[in-house]
Amino acid sequence: MRVTHLGFGKMAQAVIPHVVKAGHTVTVWNRSLVSAEKFAGLEVTVARTAAEAVAGCDIVFTLLLNDEALTEVLYDGGVLDAIPAGAVHVSVSTISVKLAKRIAVEHARRGQRYVGAPVYGRPNVAAEGKLWTVVGGTADAVESVRPLLECYCRGMSVIGEEPWKAHMVKLMGNFMVVTMMAGLSEAMTAAELMGISRSSVVETINSGIFRSPVYEAYGSMMLNPPKEASAKIDLGEKDLRLFRDAAATIGMKAHLAELMRDNFAEGIRSGLQEEDLAAGYYKQARSRYLREAGVEA
């Protein structure tokens, strides 16, 4: 198929090689200029504009940072009008439910199809082809893009025919990851104050209770911060805000999410917004707990 990828961040750099390897014709566009070495070994065409990139394509993937970036590309970049009728737009980005609903209406009006397909997993997981995709869209649209999703995923959950529901489930999952990080932060700091090995606590809790690769991976990142963040504190704050906003539309007050909001706000005020999500959150929480216990960090 003729596939276009709009956005060439870390996740896209991990996903695109799988699509190329599967034999599809790939065109890439990025808002900022991408150095040539990023495309080393990849048989892709680099477009000058987003609208040019999607002209004549079968499938359009968007892997952009947030609502603002996606809105700018689709509307200001002329992408909505340039996508051929019948083509499918697949949004891999973590975006708001509000924007997902708006995009679906715009595509339907133009005779285009829209699939929400956000993923669970960091770029290193994508490079291994082991992401998990949450999918929402009409049956025909989902089936048309399934071979592409299977290029870089170990599995997928089809939530329903409305794309926005996939984006909501993605936000729910991210919210659960944050609550996990909060629980680990509190337990690990209590262990430290009591002279118990933090790594032993993480290993014991995961082995004895959860048996989760997510607990294992995040516990490791919290104890051993990565040199380069693949997901940052400010992105975690954004996803949590989108979850709260979506809950508010149905009259639900997400109490636990409100508590997490305050923790993220404190971390950002402390200048940690560029740090790794897991490591930065733990650093901020540990500092607060130690301070409240009268212990110098």
Side-chain angles (χ1 to χ4, degrees):
M1 290 183 280
R2 295 167 298 177
V3 181
T4 293
H5 281 263
L6 302 180
F8 199 68
K10 293 177 181 177
M11 184 64 78
Q13 291 172 38
V15 165
I16 291 174
H18 294 294
V19 179
V20 173
K21 186 177 179 180
H24 302 288
T25 301
V26 177
T27 298
V28 173
W29 172 85
N30 196 60
R31 288 191 300 170
S32 59
L33 293 176
V34 180
S35 56
E37 60 265 21
K38 293 290 181 68
F39 298 103
L42 289 180
E43 295 181 5
V44 301
T45 299
V46 181
R48 292 174 300 175
T49 68
E52 175 189 296
V54 302
C57 71
D58 300 308
I59 312 290
V60 181
F61 280 85
T62 51
L63 300 93
L64 300 165
L65 186 63
N66 50 34
D67 279 26
E68 293 74 22
L70 182 56
T71 299
E72 179 183 341
V73 170
L74 292 180
Y75 290 88
D76 299 340
V79 168
L80 279 172
D81 292 326
I83 295 176
V88 185
H89 170 203
V90 182
S91 177
V92 183
S93 308
T94 303
I95 60 173
S96 69
V97 168
K98 181 179 180 180
L99 179 58
K101 290 181 177 180
R102 178 186 175 191
I103 293 173
V105 171
E106 295 284 2
H107 283 309
R109 188 162 64 86
R110 292 169 171 80
Q112 303 154 352
R113 296 175 291 170
Y114 176 47
V115 171
V119 297
Y120 291 129
R122 292 192 175 201
N124 63 304
V125 178
E128 297 172 358
K130 295 181 179 180
L131 294 172
W132 190 274
T133 302
V134 188
V135 185
T138 59
D140 66 300
V142 170
E143 288 308 308
S144 67
V145 301
R146 182 183 291 273
L148 291 165
L149 303 181
E150 290 176 342
C151 287
Y152 57 81
C153 292
R154 61 186 173 89
M156 63 186 73
S157 300
V158 180
I159 302 303
E161 295 212 340
E162 296 174 280
W164 69 265
K165 291 183 177 179
H167 291 289
M168 185 62 207
V169 172
K170 163 64 173 172
L171 293 173
M172 291 173 178
N174 285 8
F175 162 67
M176 294 300 295
V177 168
V178 171
T179 62
M180 175 201 68
M181 286 165 29
L184 279 175
S185 295
E186 198 155 316
M188 288 162 59
T189 307
E192 180 181 356
L193 289 170
M194 294 178 180
I196 302 172
S197 166
R198 295 173 297 167
S199 59
S200 295
V201 168
V202 173
E203 181 182 355
T204 301
I205 290 175
N206 188 47
S207 299
I209 304 174
F210 296 108
R211 291 185 177 274
S212 166
V214 178
Y215 263 84
E216 181 180 3
Y218 275 75
S220 177
M221 285 186 285
M222 293 163 80
L223 289 169
N224 306 288
K227 293 181 180 179
E228 184 176 357
S230 58
K232 299 179 181 179
I233 282 282
D234 55 356
L235 284 181
E237 186 280 329
K238 181 263 293 183
D239 292 350
L240 194 67
R241 170 169 42 82
L242 296 183
F243 174 78
R244 297 197 324 272
D245 290 346
T249 64
I250 55 172
M252 173 183 168
K253 185 175 178 62
H255 294 282
L256 189 52
E258 293 289 340
L259 174 61
M260 297 301 99
R261 175 196 63 185
D262 295 340
N263 291 339
F264 272 108
E266 183 178 343
I268 291 174
R269 285 196 301 270
S270 300
L272 302 177
Q273 62 269 21
E274 290 294 314
E275 295 208 13
D276 178 83
L277 173 60
Y281 187 95
Y282 173 54
K283 182 177 180 180
Q284 174 267 322
R286 174 180 176 273
S287 177
R288 185 180 72 244
Y289 292 137
L290 294 180
R291 184 174 64 251
E292 291 171 349
V295 177
E296 186 174 343

